[in-house]
Amino acid sequence: MNQKLKEKILESLSAVLPITGIVLLLSILLVPIDLGTMVMFLVGAILLVVGMGFFQLGAEMSMTPLGEGIGVQISKARRIPLIFLIGFSMGAIITISEPDLQVLAEQVPSIPNLTLILTVAVGVGIFLAVAIIRILFQINLSTILIVLYTVLIGVSFFVSKDFLAVAFDSGGVTTGPMTVPFIMAMGVGLASVRGDRNASSDSFGLVALSSVGPILAVLILGMFFNPGETAYAASGVAHVSTTRDVVKEFLFSMPPYVREVLISLVPVAVVFVLFQLFTHRYPRRQVKRVTVGFGYTYIGLVLFLCGVNVGFAPVGSLLGNEIASEAWKWLLVPIGMLIGYYIVKAEPAIQVLNRQVEGVTNGSVSARSMNLCMSLGVSASVGMSMMRVLTGLPIHWIIIPGYLIALILSRFVPKMFVGIAFDSGGVASGPMTTTFLLPLSIGACDAVGGNLMTDAFGVVALVALTPLIAIQVMGILYQYRLKTTDQLAVQEADFTEVMDAMDDIFEFEEGSENGGQS
């Protein structure tokens, strides 16, 4: 176990190190940062690395087997109402447990936090149930997505522009570190019972449909609420002068996260206890392993959220504000793209998705190629987000063409890549996006005097959009390479058959000549 934890922490270190290096370079070349702030940032980075290591191991030990087990049991149920009820309940519970959703809810002033959270939970619950039924009845994912996104874009024209970006952001924040391991594993469990040739490709798509639900639900809510201009207060940079001050700052900031993550995990733990009591699916050894996994997940999320919010978010806001205030403010676009390229690697749920994709495709789609596509997609997203901050470009101008391209591509790529692509969009917009890129965007928007609700928000939505296109393009290239390989194999086989036939002819002629001579 210690060896496994060490491996996870080293993985996390390799993911977070580039971001830390970029911030250090910016502090030297463009935005001087005082030593105390930099120490806070570095300590936050250490907590982030250790926390992500614990979380990934914990999710692997607890959330994945629980989700897979529930998926297997659901697939054995024959009554549609029961399947829908279980899917809805699990979707709602796991969403209420999602820490990222709490962060977004705090930013929307005119809607009570509980109202927004429950609206999103209902949206996820309904669409997770729909996604489960889709897998069981083998309904084409591309067709469902085309219909749903057409409805979604149509509804968006009837919602206040001040609310639009927040609604699209809500779809990204719901698929964070709590929900993704569980939902992805549930899809694998559902598909494993079928055992047909399309089972692997159908195991993807639950996250995709679960991301559509909250967007539609919050858009409908937006018809009745108008949030107006947000009174967002950027995270202040703590003033520290000694190492003791740094330790105090993190220790005093940790209790809210201890409480928040505990509240998040308790419903999921209760689900595990009830599931085990009713099904007796797991042997005693597995129950102990899952319990320890919950402990690791808890420790990891507390350290991760504390490190990101106390160390990373204030520096992100500071960088955005300072860069946008200067004459070289357009440097914000390439800087944002560079940060976006590396920040996706630090998302905990991304690693869960990449490993699952590599396993289901038997290594034909490697975690490395997935990481590259996700990084390129998110890099483009953040670049467009920074451009929106500086120009006030309406989000509709990017969202509608982007989804149109993604949906058209979905008709031409292998079924598996459609599910992977639309799942990856939701997964990419996790805690690092919410707690570093969003403050970076808000800090820059505040510096240029833009409208926070229309210009700064939307970064999560765009981060969730571009991987849809990038992964499907990878799917087209993969399909082309596969066809080329098959054609070469056929040509080689035909050539081998011709050579064998010629050998037979020569052997026959030699035999005839020898026979004639004799």
Short mmCIF file of all heavy atoms in Angstrom, two decimals, residues 84 87-96 98 101 117-132 170-171 173-175 179 183 206-207 209-218:
data_model
loop_
_atom_site.label_atom_id
_atom_site.label_comp_id
_atom_site.label_asym_id
_atom_site.label_seq_id
_atom_site.Cartn_x
_atom_site.Cartn_y
_atom_site.Cartn_z
N PHE A 84 -34.83 3.66 -12.86
CA PHE A 84 -34.84 5.12 -12.91
C PHE A 84 -34.69 5.71 -11.51
O PHE A 84 -33.93 6.66 -11.29
CB PHE A 84 -36.14 5.62 -13.55
CG PHE A 84 -36.12 7.08 -13.89
CD1 PHE A 84 -35.71 7.51 -15.13
CD2 PHE A 84 -36.51 8.03 -12.95
CE1 PHE A 84 -35.68 8.86 -15.45
CE2 PHE A 84 -36.48 9.38 -13.25
CZ PHE A 84 -36.07 9.80 -14.51
N GLY A 87 -31.07 5.21 -10.27
CA GLY A 87 -30.18 6.12 -11.00
C GLY A 87 -30.35 7.55 -10.54
O GLY A 87 -29.37 8.28 -10.33
N PHE A 88 -31.60 7.98 -10.39
CA PHE A 88 -31.88 9.35 -9.95
C PHE A 88 -31.32 9.59 -8.54
O PHE A 88 -30.67 10.61 -8.29
CB PHE A 88 -33.39 9.61 -9.96
CG PHE A 88 -33.77 10.95 -9.39
CD1 PHE A 88 -33.71 12.08 -10.18
CD2 PHE A 88 -34.18 11.08 -8.07
CE1 PHE A 88 -34.04 13.33 -9.66
CE2 PHE A 88 -34.51 12.32 -7.54
CZ PHE A 88 -34.44 13.44 -8.34
N SER A 89 -31.56 8.65 -7.64
CA SER A 89 -31.09 8.80 -6.25
C SER A 89 -29.58 8.89 -6.18
O SER A 89 -29.03 9.76 -5.49
CB SER A 89 -31.59 7.62 -5.40
OG SER A 89 -32.99 7.53 -5.44
N MET A 90 -28.89 8.00 -6.91
CA MET A 90 -27.43 8.01 -6.86
C MET A 90 -26.88 9.29 -7.48
O MET A 90 -25.92 9.87 -6.97
CB MET A 90 -26.87 6.79 -7.61
CG MET A 90 -27.16 5.45 -6.95
SD MET A 90 -26.76 5.43 -5.19
CE MET A 90 -25.06 5.97 -5.21
N GLY A 91 -27.48 9.74 -8.58
CA GLY A 91 -27.02 10.97 -9.22
C GLY A 91 -27.18 12.17 -8.31
O GLY A 91 -26.28 13.02 -8.20
N ALA A 92 -28.33 12.26 -7.63
CA ALA A 92 -28.60 13.40 -6.74
C ALA A 92 -27.67 13.37 -5.53
O ALA A 92 -27.10 14.40 -5.15
CB ALA A 92 -30.06 13.38 -6.30
N ILE A 93 -27.49 12.20 -4.93
CA ILE A 93 -26.65 12.09 -3.72
C ILE A 93 -25.21 12.44 -4.03
O ILE A 93 -24.57 13.21 -3.31
CB ILE A 93 -26.75 10.66 -3.13
CG1 ILE A 93 -28.12 10.43 -2.50
CG2 ILE A 93 -25.65 10.42 -2.09
CD1 ILE A 93 -28.38 8.99 -2.10
N ILE A 94 -24.69 11.88 -5.11
CA ILE A 94 -23.29 12.10 -5.43
C ILE A 94 -23.04 13.55 -5.84
O ILE A 94 -21.96 14.10 -5.61
CB ILE A 94 -22.83 11.12 -6.55
CG1 ILE A 94 -21.32 10.84 -6.45
CG2 ILE A 94 -23.17 11.61 -7.92
CD1 ILE A 94 -20.94 9.88 -5.38
N THR A 95 -24.05 14.21 -6.43
CA THR A 95 -23.90 15.62 -6.83
C THR A 95 -23.90 16.54 -5.62
O THR A 95 -23.11 17.49 -5.55
CB THR A 95 -25.02 16.03 -7.80
OG1 THR A 95 -24.97 15.18 -8.95
CG2 THR A 95 -24.87 17.47 -8.24
N ILE A 96 -24.79 16.30 -4.69
CA ILE A 96 -24.83 17.11 -3.46
C ILE A 96 -23.51 16.98 -2.72
O ILE A 96 -23.07 17.90 -2.02
CB ILE A 96 -26.02 16.68 -2.57
CG1 ILE A 96 -27.33 17.06 -3.26
CG2 ILE A 96 -25.95 17.32 -1.19
CD1 ILE A 96 -28.57 16.50 -2.60
N GLU A 98 -20.60 16.86 -4.14
CA GLU A 98 -19.51 17.39 -4.96
C GLU A 98 -19.01 18.74 -4.45
O GLU A 98 -19.76 19.72 -4.45
CB GLU A 98 -19.99 17.52 -6.41
CG GLU A 98 -18.93 17.97 -7.38
CD GLU A 98 -17.71 17.07 -7.36
OE1 GLU A 98 -17.85 15.88 -7.70
OE2 GLU A 98 -16.63 17.56 -7.00
N LEU A 101 -19.31 22.07 -6.67
CA LEU A 101 -20.61 22.71 -6.78
C LEU A 101 -20.79 23.78 -5.70
O LEU A 101 -21.42 24.82 -5.93
CB LEU A 101 -21.72 21.65 -6.69
CG LEU A 101 -23.16 22.13 -6.91
CD1 LEU A 101 -23.30 22.85 -8.23
CD2 LEU A 101 -24.11 20.96 -6.82
N ILE A 117 -27.97 24.27 -5.67
CA ILE A 117 -27.42 22.92 -5.50
C ILE A 117 -28.48 21.86 -5.75
O ILE A 117 -28.23 20.86 -6.44
CB ILE A 117 -26.82 22.78 -4.08
CG1 ILE A 117 -25.54 23.62 -3.96
CG2 ILE A 117 -26.52 21.32 -3.76
CD1 ILE A 117 -25.02 23.76 -2.56
N LEU A 118 -29.70 22.06 -5.22
CA LEU A 118 -30.76 21.08 -5.43
C LEU A 118 -31.21 21.02 -6.89
O LEU A 118 -31.52 19.95 -7.41
CB LEU A 118 -31.96 21.40 -4.52
CG LEU A 118 -31.74 21.18 -3.02
CD1 LEU A 118 -32.99 21.57 -2.23
CD2 LEU A 118 -31.38 19.71 -2.73
N THR A 119 -31.22 22.19 -7.56
CA THR A 119 -31.57 22.21 -8.98
C THR A 119 -30.58 21.40 -9.80
O THR A 119 -30.96 20.58 -10.65
CB THR A 119 -31.59 23.67 -9.50
OG1 THR A 119 -32.53 24.42 -8.74
CG2 THR A 119 -31.96 23.72 -10.97
N VAL A 120 -29.30 21.61 -9.53
CA VAL A 120 -28.25 20.86 -10.23
C VAL A 120 -28.35 19.37 -9.91
O VAL A 120 -28.22 18.52 -10.80
CB VAL A 120 -26.86 21.41 -9.86
CG1 VAL A 120 -25.76 20.51 -10.39
CG2 VAL A 120 -26.67 22.82 -10.40
N ALA A 121 -28.61 19.05 -8.64
CA ALA A 121 -28.72 17.64 -8.23
C ALA A 121 -29.87 16.94 -8.95
O ALA A 121 -29.73 15.79 -9.39
CB ALA A 121 -28.90 17.55 -6.72
N VAL A 122 -31.00 17.62 -9.08
CA VAL A 122 -32.14 17.04 -9.80
C VAL A 122 -31.79 16.81 -11.26
O VAL A 122 -32.09 15.76 -11.84
CB VAL A 122 -33.38 17.96 -9.67
CG1 VAL A 122 -34.48 17.53 -10.65
CG2 VAL A 122 -33.92 17.95 -8.25
N GLY A 123 -31.10 17.79 -11.86
CA GLY A 123 -30.69 17.64 -13.26
C GLY A 123 -29.77 16.45 -13.47
O GLY A 123 -29.97 15.66 -14.40
N VAL A 124 -28.78 16.30 -12.60
CA VAL A 124 -27.85 15.17 -12.72
C VAL A 124 -28.58 13.85 -12.49
O VAL A 124 -28.38 12.88 -13.21
CB VAL A 124 -26.67 15.31 -11.73
CG1 VAL A 124 -25.80 14.06 -11.75
CG2 VAL A 124 -25.83 16.53 -12.05
N GLY A 125 -29.45 13.82 -11.45
CA GLY A 125 -30.17 12.59 -11.12
C GLY A 125 -31.01 12.09 -12.29
O GLY A 125 -30.95 10.91 -12.66
N ILE A 126 -31.79 12.99 -12.90
CA ILE A 126 -32.66 12.61 -14.02
C ILE A 126 -31.83 12.10 -15.20
O ILE A 126 -32.13 11.04 -15.78
CB ILE A 126 -33.53 13.80 -14.46
CG1 ILE A 126 -34.56 14.12 -13.37
CG2 ILE A 126 -34.24 13.50 -15.79
CD1 ILE A 126 -35.34 15.39 -13.62
N PHE A 127 -30.75 12.81 -15.52
CA PHE A 127 -29.99 12.44 -16.72
C PHE A 127 -29.06 11.26 -16.48
O PHE A 127 -28.73 10.54 -17.42
CB PHE A 127 -29.23 13.66 -17.25
CG PHE A 127 -30.10 14.56 -18.08
CD1 PHE A 127 -31.01 15.41 -17.50
CD2 PHE A 127 -30.05 14.50 -19.46
CE1 PHE A 127 -31.84 16.22 -18.26
CE2 PHE A 127 -30.87 15.30 -20.25
CZ PHE A 127 -31.78 16.16 -19.64
N LEU A 128 -28.65 11.01 -15.24
CA LEU A 128 -27.90 9.79 -14.96
C LEU A 128 -28.81 8.58 -15.14
O LEU A 128 -28.41 7.55 -15.69
CB LEU A 128 -27.32 9.81 -13.55
CG LEU A 128 -26.53 8.57 -13.13
CD1 LEU A 128 -25.34 8.35 -14.05
CD2 LEU A 128 -26.05 8.67 -11.68
N ALA A 129 -30.07 8.72 -14.69
CA ALA A 129 -31.04 7.64 -14.88
C ALA A 129 -31.27 7.38 -16.38
O ALA A 129 -31.34 6.23 -16.83
CB ALA A 129 -32.35 7.99 -14.19
N VAL A 130 -31.38 8.47 -17.15
CA VAL A 130 -31.53 8.34 -18.61
C VAL A 130 -30.32 7.64 -19.22
O VAL A 130 -30.45 6.78 -20.10
CB VAL A 130 -31.74 9.73 -19.25
CG1 VAL A 130 -31.65 9.64 -20.78
CG2 VAL A 130 -33.08 10.32 -18.84
N ALA A 131 -29.11 8.00 -18.74
CA ALA A 131 -27.87 7.40 -19.25
C ALA A 131 -27.81 5.90 -18.96
O ALA A 131 -27.35 5.11 -19.79
CB ALA A 131 -26.66 8.11 -18.64
N ILE A 132 -28.29 5.51 -17.78
CA ILE A 132 -28.31 4.08 -17.41
C ILE A 132 -29.26 3.32 -18.33
O ILE A 132 -28.92 2.23 -18.84
CB ILE A 132 -28.73 3.92 -15.93
CG1 ILE A 132 -27.63 4.44 -15.01
CG2 ILE A 132 -29.04 2.46 -15.62
CD1 ILE A 132 -28.04 4.55 -13.56
N SER A 170 -22.20 25.27 -14.68
CA SER A 170 -22.74 24.29 -13.73
C SER A 170 -22.61 22.86 -14.26
O SER A 170 -22.48 21.92 -13.48
CB SER A 170 -24.21 24.59 -13.42
OG SER A 170 -25.03 24.37 -14.55
N GLY A 171 -22.64 22.71 -15.59
CA GLY A 171 -22.46 21.37 -16.15
C GLY A 171 -21.07 20.83 -15.95
O GLY A 171 -20.87 19.62 -15.83
N VAL A 173 -18.88 21.81 -13.34
CA VAL A 173 -18.48 21.62 -11.94
C VAL A 173 -19.12 20.39 -11.31
O VAL A 173 -18.64 19.89 -10.29
CB VAL A 173 -18.81 22.86 -11.08
CG1 VAL A 173 -18.08 24.08 -11.58
CG2 VAL A 173 -20.32 23.12 -11.01
N THR A 174 -20.22 19.89 -11.89
CA THR A 174 -20.87 18.73 -11.28
C THR A 174 -20.09 17.43 -11.50
O THR A 174 -20.30 16.46 -10.78
CB THR A 174 -22.30 18.54 -11.85
OG1 THR A 174 -22.24 18.56 -13.27
CG2 THR A 174 -23.21 19.65 -11.38
N THR A 175 -19.24 17.41 -12.51
CA THR A 175 -18.45 16.20 -12.78
C THR A 175 -17.03 16.42 -12.27
O THR A 175 -16.12 16.65 -13.05
CB THR A 175 -18.46 15.87 -14.28
OG1 THR A 175 -18.18 17.08 -15.02
CG2 THR A 175 -19.80 15.35 -14.71
N THR A 179 -17.69 12.67 -8.24
CA THR A 179 -18.66 12.02 -9.13
C THR A 179 -18.02 11.17 -10.22
O THR A 179 -18.55 10.10 -10.54
CB THR A 179 -19.55 13.08 -9.80
OG1 THR A 179 -18.71 14.09 -10.38
CG2 THR A 179 -20.49 13.73 -8.82
N ILE A 183 -19.28 7.46 -11.26
CA ILE A 183 -20.11 7.33 -12.45
C ILE A 183 -19.41 6.51 -13.53
O ILE A 183 -20.03 5.67 -14.20
CB ILE A 183 -20.51 8.72 -12.98
CG1 ILE A 183 -21.48 9.39 -12.00
CG2 ILE A 183 -21.17 8.62 -14.35
CD1 ILE A 183 -21.88 10.80 -12.39
N LEU A 206 -21.96 8.13 -19.52
CA LEU A 206 -22.71 8.51 -18.32
C LEU A 206 -22.34 9.91 -17.85
O LEU A 206 -23.20 10.71 -17.51
CB LEU A 206 -22.48 7.50 -17.18
CG LEU A 206 -23.46 6.32 -17.17
CD1 LEU A 206 -22.95 5.23 -18.10
CD2 LEU A 206 -23.63 5.76 -15.77
N VAL A 207 -21.03 10.21 -17.85
CA VAL A 207 -20.59 11.54 -17.44
C VAL A 207 -21.10 12.58 -18.42
O VAL A 207 -21.51 13.68 -18.03
CB VAL A 207 -19.05 11.60 -17.34
CG1 VAL A 207 -18.57 13.01 -17.03
CG2 VAL A 207 -18.55 10.64 -16.26
N LEU A 209 -23.88 12.60 -20.35
CA LEU A 209 -25.29 12.90 -20.15
C LEU A 209 -25.53 13.55 -18.79
O LEU A 209 -26.40 14.41 -18.65
CB LEU A 209 -26.12 11.63 -20.29
CG LEU A 209 -26.19 11.05 -21.71
CD1 LEU A 209 -26.93 9.74 -21.72
CD2 LEU A 209 -26.85 12.03 -22.66
N SER A 210 -24.72 13.17 -17.80
CA SER A 210 -24.86 13.78 -16.47
C SER A 210 -24.44 15.24 -16.48
O SER A 210 -24.83 16.01 -15.60
CB SER A 210 -24.02 13.00 -15.45
OG SER A 210 -24.46 11.67 -15.34
N SER A 211 -23.62 15.64 -17.47
CA SER A 211 -23.20 17.03 -17.60
C SER A 211 -24.27 17.89 -18.28
O SER A 211 -24.35 19.09 -18.05
CB SER A 211 -21.90 17.13 -18.40
OG SER A 211 -20.85 16.43 -17.76
N VAL A 212 -25.08 17.25 -19.14
CA VAL A 212 -26.14 17.99 -19.83
C VAL A 212 -27.26 18.36 -18.86
O VAL A 212 -27.81 19.47 -18.91
CB VAL A 212 -26.72 17.16 -21.00
CG1 VAL A 212 -27.88 17.88 -21.66
CG2 VAL A 212 -25.64 16.87 -22.02
N GLY A 213 -27.60 17.44 -17.97
CA GLY A 213 -28.72 17.62 -17.04
C GLY A 213 -28.67 18.91 -16.25
O GLY A 213 -29.64 19.70 -16.25
N PRO A 214 -27.56 19.18 -15.55
CA PRO A 214 -27.52 20.40 -14.75
C PRO A 214 -27.57 21.68 -15.58
O PRO A 214 -28.14 22.68 -15.13
CB PRO A 214 -26.18 20.30 -14.00
CG PRO A 214 -25.39 19.27 -14.72
CD PRO A 214 -26.39 18.34 -15.33
N ILE A 215 -26.98 21.66 -16.79
CA ILE A 215 -27.04 22.86 -17.64
C ILE A 215 -28.49 23.18 -17.97
O ILE A 215 -28.95 24.32 -17.82
CB ILE A 215 -26.24 22.68 -18.94
CG1 ILE A 215 -24.77 22.37 -18.65
CG2 ILE A 215 -26.35 23.92 -19.82
CD1 ILE A 215 -23.95 22.06 -19.89
N LEU A 216 -29.24 22.15 -18.39
CA LEU A 216 -30.63 22.36 -18.75
C LEU A 216 -31.46 22.77 -17.53
O LEU A 216 -32.30 23.68 -17.61
CB LEU A 216 -31.20 21.07 -19.37
CG LEU A 216 -32.55 21.16 -20.08
CD1 LEU A 216 -32.52 22.21 -21.17
CD2 LEU A 216 -32.92 19.80 -20.65
N ALA A 217 -31.21 22.12 -16.39
CA ALA A 217 -31.96 22.44 -15.18
C ALA A 217 -31.70 23.88 -14.73
O ALA A 217 -32.63 24.60 -14.35
CB ALA A 217 -31.58 21.46 -14.06
N VAL A 218 -30.44 24.31 -14.78
CA VAL A 218 -30.09 25.67 -14.33
C VAL A 218 -30.57 26.71 -15.35
O VAL A 218 -30.96 27.82 -14.96
CB VAL A 218 -28.58 25.79 -14.08
CG1 VAL A 218 -28.20 27.22 -13.71
CG2 VAL A 218 -28.15 24.85 -12.96
#
